[in-house]
Amino acid sequence: MPEWLLVGAAVGLVAVLVGLWFGGNTPAQLWGTAGGGAGIALRQGDGGSPRMGQKKPFERLPQDVNPTNYALRLQPDLEKFKFTGKEVISVQVQKATDKVVMNSVDITIATATFRAENSTKGKDMATSNIQFNKENETVTLSFPSALPTGAGELTLEFEGELNDKMKGFYRSKYTSPDGQDRFCAVTQFEATDARRAFPCWDEPARKATFDVTLVVPKDRVALSNMNVVEEKPVPSRDDLREVRYAQTPIMSTYLLAFVVGEYDYVEGKDADGVLVRVYTPVGKKEQGKFALEVAVKTLPFYKEYFKIPYPLPKIDLIAIADFAAGAMENWGLVTYRETALLIDPENSSSHAKQWVALVVGHELAHQWFGNLVTMEWWTHLWLNEGFASWIEYLCVDFCLPEYDIWTQFVSTDYTGALKLDALTNSHPIEVPVGHPDEVDEIFDTISYSKGASVIRMLHDFIGDEDFRKGMNLYLTKFMYKNTFTEDLWASLGEASGKPVDKIMSTWTKQMGFPVLEVSAKQEGTSRVLKIKQSKFCAEGPSEDDSSLWMVPVSISTSQSPSTAVKTLLLDQRETTVTIDNVNPDDWVKLNPGTVGFYRTQYSKDMLDRLLPAIKDQSLPPRDRLGIQNDLFALAKSGVASTVDILRVMEAFVNESNYTVWSDLSANIGSLSTLLSGADCYPNFKLFVQDLFKVVGEKLGWEPKDGEGHLDAMLRSIVLSHLGKYGHQATIAEANQRLGDHISGTRTLPADLRGPVYATVLRHGDEKTYEKMLEILRKADLHEEKVRILRSLGSVSQPELIQRVLEFALSSEVRSQDTVFVIGGATSSLKGRELAWKFVQDRWDELHTRYQGGFLLARLVQFSTSGFVEESRAREVEEFFKRHPAPAAERTVQQSCENIRLNAAWLARDAASISEYLSTRPKL
């Protein structure tokens, strides 16, 4: 998701590091087909195979036996890291068969029996013919004769491991208040890991109800999706109790959850009386209050928006110490990384607070969109994630309007999606998914951020009133059922009377997006625009592209900067539009608010009229941001000059908006990566110092009266850049303030810690590094630990960078954070070289740790995508030919493409950039 806070060398690294440091969106990223032997009719877009390499053959589970209810009893052992289980599954046998095929991984089934509903007592049919297929993650129970059609019960007894892989039913290590190492048992089932906890039909369309019973230590908290209906002692064990929960609604297996551990909580009720609890580590309940406030406001907001009440009697939000993703929307029991849920009033930054609000909004939206109505197969994952990634902003804008969160959407989700989707190795929003190995790859920026961006565009096109009506139609019609993308379009089309399906299929079923070339001529008091669409490619214009989109286009003018004076649907290659009442000196702009998912390439005279409006800030912030970002992308693709974008950046010297600076900073990071090995890099650093000095002097180090949330975030980003690029006064002040912080003379405010830590480390020595390790080891708040961990890689000396990389794999760093410590080391040229070598040298260990999860793809991205030499692209390709990583295959291709794009960019513009930087007048 979402979301993104670190200042790093490369924009891609910045975005992903920031998002995942503070939680990341929900984990689900899978892609597979709805074909095979499932007996389910394919809808358009569900068939076929991905465009990448050869994928494993895959069939969905047979439909001859279907579950309707699981009575599930589990007993985790928190000392031996095992669990035992028994389940009685109510099934419907659709046709007589002697085989039952289910999903199961790393589970040993001891007994399996079947009883038909009408059979006499003692007529149970047992089997010991139990065959596991590890490749397909299935188990086949072969019975001595055919199971009769109709209702029956399948009873299984089994045992499994509480693994340390952060998936399935797993163990998480934490430290008790008295300093003891303890373990809790938690779950992470999305996308296909419920099968690691109990044999089941682990596909989203195979919905059932669940009756969960947990046998747990008496002194542990035990949670599941529903409320507790009975607790009683275990007769043979004084130290255990049995906890039974109410039956769940009909739902998918990936949404089931249970947690057993030590927790405190804070609680409240929303306006409708729904019990809301936020569970925290023991002794830290105060850190759950902010998330509780947001959640209590959010549930009624969604009820009003969807016109459907939250359907469960309670909802728990719980912080998990070891958690691979940012959060997971289990129905009624939402699990989070600590950094995505806990806020310390004294030690949490403004950005951390904002991140918690967004993630809470995202996960609670899923309680309706995803849980109540669920995608039929992982091909339609984007329905869950894209929608939740859009509406989380709507929710936070309602709860915390001072965050100006929609402007931030443009600099995080929108521009990040445009950048990735311009690559040859992007993919459509809807990606055919088959084997479980494939699923993790599509938990990516396209499913989340492009999905959110095209929904935002559609919402703007049909209007909020009709959008709400359509959402209510959709959720009401498919309540407790499964859907395809086309079902959503049909409901929104019915509510709005507009051809939603035709428009949106051009955005979800084909890869990429358009660039609109626009030129203008004055005719009296009118401006006549010629608009032409073509596919935007990161490598430059394509001569033979036949892609065509149905593009909602809005147009504003200097007389109406915030409101469109003209709207149209561009459904052909080009068109001509006349705008009345425009003076010769007025500017005309496409895409006010930067809502349409496209780039705009203006003629020189149109752009020249817009630039003064950037400098005097008469253009709204989202439009200033959009113009700069489009120009940067055009320069990177070779359509415009990089020198021109440097000149445009100088027009932002008086900029006051946090989000505009955030986006500028990301693009400066990309230029820094490009130029870090070039002779002109010292002059580039001076250019960046000049760009940030004016706003830095205005802000200073201390908050002023009347400052708010966004000023604190802007100060952080400005000081980070001044420190990184060598501004001596900033470096000196950072060292002074860290010294005061360590000595206890003056505590560093949370918003300043990130920039101070990174600045001091970058310009420090081994003693500085040891000081930071000491602060890390004393820190109690996980957010503070993460803040330091992500800063450690800022060190400059090769021997210290190597120490950071080794430290990343030490027992002092949780597995969930290791990838980002390594990524932090790539903020310098030497760091990128050492990090890539380290990943190659330790590949077996890293691959074993992260195999089959999306963190592996992040590791590949961080360690490879920042290079700028063709030889490095070949080196990366050769390494992954020798060391295949199916879960990161697309990421490898994207990284190599980015390396080659960087190499071409540097070769094309290095000389002109160098000349400009050496001769430019000082700001």
Side-chain angles (χ1 to χ4, degrees):
M1 8 358 248
E3 83 157 271
W4 317 51
L5 166 118
L6 247 187
V7 177
V11 60
L13 174 61
V14 174
V16 179
L17 267 181
V18 172
L20 281 158
W21 275 129
F22 284 95
N25 283 354
T26 50
Q29 282 120 305
L30 327 172
W31 48 286
T33 57
I40 295 177
L42 294 179
R43 299 260 189 122
Q44 183 182 359
D46 283 83
S49 58
R51 189 178 46 79
M52 293 173 52
Q54 187 68 32
K55 294 297 180 182
K56 296 178 182 177
F58 176 74
E59 290 186 354
R60 283 167 63 171
L61 294 173
Q63 292 278 340
D64 44 17
V65 179
N66 283 315
T68 58
N69 173 268
Y70 295 80
L72 179 62
R73 188 178 193 272
L74 291 170
Q75 181 174 339
D77 186 327
L78 297 175
E79 295 179 354
K80 296 180 180 178
F81 305 138
K82 302 282 186 182
F83 63 90
T84 57
K86 179 179 180 179
E87 60 184 338
V88 179
I89 311 171
S90 299
V91 298
Q92 282 290 328
V93 180
Q94 307 291 356
K95 64 177 183 180
T97 177
D98 63 352
K99 289 182 171 56
V100 177
V101 183
M102 308 165 67
N103 292 116
S104 184
V105 182
D106 297 336
I107 285 176
T108 302
I109 298 176
T111 65
T113 61
F114 179 83
R115 174 186 290 181
E117 184 177 51
N118 298 320
S119 65
T120 58
K121 191 173 183 180
K123 289 289 187 180
D124 291 2
M125 192 186 306
T127 181
S128 58
N129 189 347
I130 301 171
Q131 295 181 325
F132 292 91
N133 185 318
K134 190 169 184 179
E135 186 77 9
N136 292 333
E137 300 187 348
T138 59
V139 60
T140 300
L141 310 175
S142 298
F143 289 90
S145 60
L147 311 183
T149 58
E153 287 184 347
L154 181 65
T155 301
L156 304 177
E157 293 181 344
F158 54 90
E159 63 179 28
E161 177 191 8
L162 288 175
N163 68 71
D164 60 354
K165 305 296 185 185
M166 295 184 288
K167 58 185 179 181
F169 198 14
Y170 71 94
R171 65 185 187 264
S172 174
K173 184 178 178 181
Y174 61 98
T175 304
S176 66
D178 62 359
Q180 299 292 315
D181 284 344
R182 302 276 182 84
F183 289 89
C184 58
V186 301
T187 55
Q188 172 54 48
F189 289 164
E190 190 178 25
T192 57
D193 288 314
R195 63 193 65 176
R196 296 177 185 275
F198 59 103
C200 55
W201 285 261
D202 197 14
E203 297 179 354
R206 307 298 280 273
K207 287 188 169 185
T209 56
F210 295 83
D211 289 281
V212 173
T213 299
L214 298 178
V215 180
V216 300
K218 279 186 176 179
D219 60 349
R220 296 294 192 267
V221 171
L223 303 172
S224 189
N225 306 75
M226 299 298 290
N227 51 298
V228 175
V229 293
E230 183 185 26
E231 290 192 58
K232 60 183 182 182
V234 176
S236 59
R237 293 282 299 270
D238 290 341
D239 58 333
L240 297 178
R241 77 186 196 280
E242 183 177 288
V243 185
R244 184 167 63 87
Y245 303 87
Q247 186 176 96
T248 70
I250 184 170
M251 67 184 204
S252 303
T253 50
Y254 78 88
L255 295 169
L256 192 65
F258 4 97
V259 177
V260 180
E262 295 176 287
Y263 296 94
D264 283 342
Y265 65 84
V266 289
E267 72 175 24
K269 288 189 175 180
D270 77 353
D272 298 303
V274 175
L275 179 65
V276 184
R277 285 181 174 174
V278 176
Y279 284 84
T280 73
V282 173
K284 298 182 179 180
K285 63 167 65 177
E286 292 292 314
Q287 295 177 20
K289 287 186 175 179
F290 176 72
L292 179 65
E293 290 171 11
V294 174
V296 166
K297 289 181 183 177
T298 295
L299 287 177
F301 171 77
Y302 287 141
K303 175 197 170 185
E304 174 61 25
Y305 197 87
F306 297 130
K307 300 296 183 188
I308 296 172
Y310 173 70
L312 275 61
K314 65 92 177 177
I315 188 161
D316 299 324
L317 293 72
I318 185 166
I320 305 299
D322 295 290
F323 201 74
M328 176 61 212
E329 67 267 22
N330 316 297
W331 215 353
L333 176 56
V334 186
T335 45
Y336 295 80
R337 275 194 184 206
E338 291 186 4
T339 48
L341 188 67
L342 304 182
I343 291 296
D344 184 317
E346 298 298 321
N347 295 297
S348 288
S349 68
S350 298
H351 207 299
K353 204 170 178 181
Q354 178 177 293
W355 179 242
V356 167
L358 282 168
V359 180
V360 169
H362 182 104
E363 306 308 330
L364 296 192
H366 277 311
Q367 306 302 302
W368 284 263
F369 204 99
N371 298 7
L372 183 64
V373 177
T374 312
M375 76 249 152
E376 197 279 337
W377 186 248
W378 301 109
T379 295
H380 308 277
L381 167 74
W382 87 275
L383 268 185
N384 278 13
E385 301 306 344
F387 182 85
S389 297
W390 168 74
I391 205 169
E392 70 186 55
Y393 284 85
L394 198 70
C395 172
V396 170
D397 190 49
F398 168 80
C399 294
L400 300 155
E402 66 273 19
Y403 285 9
D404 186 26
I405 203 70
W406 278 118
T407 302
Q408 295 189 57
F409 177 93
V410 177
S411 73
T412 52
D413 289 77
Y414 175 91
T415 58
L418 287 171
K419 182 182 178 187
L420 180 59
D421 206 29
L423 298 180
T424 302
N425 288 292
S426 181
H427 63 81
I429 285 177
E430 289 188 60
V431 179
V433 178
H435 195 279
D437 283 355
E438 302 167 16
V439 177
D440 283 332
E441 274 201 291
I442 60 164
F443 282 85
D444 67 357
T445 300
I446 300 299
S447 295
Y448 284 76
S449 298
K450 183 181 179 182
S453 297
V454 298
I455 287 172
R456 175 174 174 248
M457 178 173 65
L458 176 63
H459 173 268
D460 183 73
F461 178 67
I462 69 175
D464 186 64
E465 184 179 348
D466 286 343
F467 192 89
R468 288 184 183 224
K469 287 179 184 175
M471 291 308 308
N472 177 261
L473 278 173
Y474 172 77
L475 291 171
T476 302
K477 182 176 181 180
F478 296 104
M479 200 176 289
Y480 302 108
K481 298 176 184 175
N482 297 81
T483 61
F484 297 79
T485 296
E486 291 84 357
D487 296 319
L488 177 60
W489 300 156
S491 294
L492 291 169
E494 181 180 341
S496 66
K498 294 182 178 178
V500 172
D501 55 342
K502 290 181 181 178
I503 294 169
M504 296 309 292
S505 64
T506 69
W507 296 96
T508 64
K509 293 187 183 301
Q510 65 179 339
M511 189 176 78
F513 59 90
V515 55
L516 303 190
E517 295 177 61
V518 55
S519 58
K521 63 178 180 178
Q522 189 76 18
E523 293 185 356
T525 59
S526 298
R527 190 76 54 84
V528 179
L529 306 183
K530 183 179 179 182
I531 305 172
K532 178 184 178 183
Q533 68 160 299
S534 57
K535 184 178 181 181
F536 181 82
C537 299
E539 61 187 7
S542 173
E543 295 296 327
D544 58 353
D545 181 64
S546 59
S547 303
L548 198 66
W549 287 263
M550 296 180 74
V551 190
V553 178
S554 299
I555 302 168
S556 61
T557 68
S558 51
Q559 305 297 323
S560 180
S562 301
T563 306
V565 298
K566 190 91 169 183
T567 59
L568 65 141
L569 185 65
L570 180 63
D571 58 0
Q572 52 195 325
R573 184 67 59 191
E574 58 184 271
T575 192
T576 300
V577 183
T578 299
I579 311 295
D580 296 324
N581 302 315
V582 180
N583 297 321
D585 294 333
D586 288 351
W587 54 258
V588 173
K589 182 184 180 297
L590 268 63
N591 206 10
T594 316
V595 175
F597 195 73
Y598 56 85
R599 299 276 187 202
T600 305
Q601 181 181 347
Y602 294 101
S603 61
K604 184 179 184 304
D605 61 316
M606 291 188 75
L607 185 59
D608 286 345
R609 287 189 179 95
L610 284 164
L611 293 183
I614 292 176
K615 198 159 191 175
D616 67 17
Q617 300 187 49
S618 58
L619 265 174
R622 295 173 208 174
D623 295 281
R624 302 198 297 271
L625 188 162
I627 289 172
Q628 179 269 146
N629 198 277
D630 283 349
L631 277 171
F632 189 85
L634 290 164
K636 187 173 180 178
S637 70
V639 174
S641 164
T642 306
V643 168
D644 287 341
I645 192 61
L646 292 172
R647 290 194 179 101
V648 169
M649 284 178 171
E650 291 177 336
F652 288 87
V653 69
N654 296 314
E655 180 60 56
S656 58
N657 184 276
Y658 159 74
T659 310
V660 176
W661 273 115
S662 176
D663 195 69
L664 270 167
S665 300
N667 289 335
I668 286 166
S670 289
L671 283 170
S672 177
T673 299
L674 185 75
L675 301 174
S676 56
D679 293 340
C680 65
Y681 192 61
N683 284 332
F684 175 75
K685 290 166 67 176
L686 293 174
F687 168 83
V688 179
Q689 288 183 48
D690 280 355
L691 197 58
F692 280 89
K693 268 192 299 190
V694 175
V695 66
E697 288 167 0
K698 285 180 182 175
L699 286 169
W701 282 80
E702 296 295 336
K704 299 173 179 60
D705 289 343
E707 279 193 3
H709 172 82
L710 294 171
D711 297 299
M713 290 168 64
L714 177 57
R715 178 176 289 106
S716 177
I717 209 168
V718 169
L719 293 176
S720 292
H721 277 70
L722 288 171
K724 175 178 178 177
Y725 293 100
H727 186 249
Q728 290 304 311
T730 301
I731 296 167
E733 185 69 17
N735 276 292
Q736 178 66 48
R737 286 177 179 258
L738 182 63
D740 291 347
H741 181 68
I742 292 171
S743 68
T745 305
R746 177 172 55 173
T747 300
L748 261 177
D751 287 311
L752 294 181
R753 292 183 195 177
V756 165
Y757 294 165
T759 297
V760 169
L761 281 162
R762 184 176 299 278
H763 303 283
D765 53 18
E766 185 176 6
K767 286 183 179 178
T768 312
Y769 178 70
E770 293 294 344
K771 283 180 186 175
M772 289 308 306
L773 286 182
E774 188 177 340
I775 298 173
L776 171 69
R777 287 163 179 152
K778 289 179 179 177
D780 184 47
L781 180 68
H782 192 62
E783 179 193 329
E784 174 73 349
K785 289 180 180 290
V786 164
R787 191 157 36 222
I788 297 167
L789 287 170
R790 74 168 185 259
S791 301
L792 289 178
S794 300
V795 294
S796 300
Q797 299 92 326
E799 60 276 13
L800 288 181
I801 297 171
Q802 192 63 39
R803 282 185 62 183
V804 170
L805 294 169
E806 298 290 345
F807 182 72
L809 278 175
S810 73
S811 60
E812 293 190 69
V813 180
R814 293 185 181 275
S815 291
Q816 64 187 22
D817 297 326
T818 293
V819 169
F820 308 106
V821 179
I822 295 171
T826 66
S827 63
S828 66
L829 178 63
K830 178 55 69 174
R832 287 190 287 279
E833 294 171 354
L834 291 173
W836 171 229
K837 184 177 186 304
F838 180 79
V839 168
Q840 293 178 87
D841 291 345
R842 306 292 287 272
W843 178 252
D844 288 346
E845 181 179 354
L846 290 163
H847 187 252
T848 298
R849 180 183 289 197
Y850 299 115
Q851 185 175 7
F854 72 94
L855 286 175
L856 189 70
R858 300 294 183 267
L859 176 68
V860 171
Q861 180 187 3
F862 295 163
S863 61
T864 62
S865 62
F867 292 119
V868 298
E869 304 91 3
E870 166 64 30
S871 59
R872 289 288 191 182
R874 292 195 298 270
E875 183 181 317
V876 171
E877 286 172 337
E878 286 302 316
F879 179 80
F880 286 106
K881 281 180 184 175
R882 298 192 306 272
H883 305 86
E889 184 178 350
R890 191 187 300 276
T891 304
V892 171
Q893 295 181 349
Q894 290 169 346
S895 284
C896 291
E897 183 176 354
N898 273 315
I899 295 169
R900 291 186 168 105
L901 288 169
N902 283 339
W905 186 13
L906 188 64
R908 185 174 60 243
D909 282 3
S912 59
I913 293 171
S914 180
E915 181 182 359
Y916 175 76
L917 291 174
S918 63
T919 58
R920 70 178 177 89
K922 297 294 183 284
L923 298 176

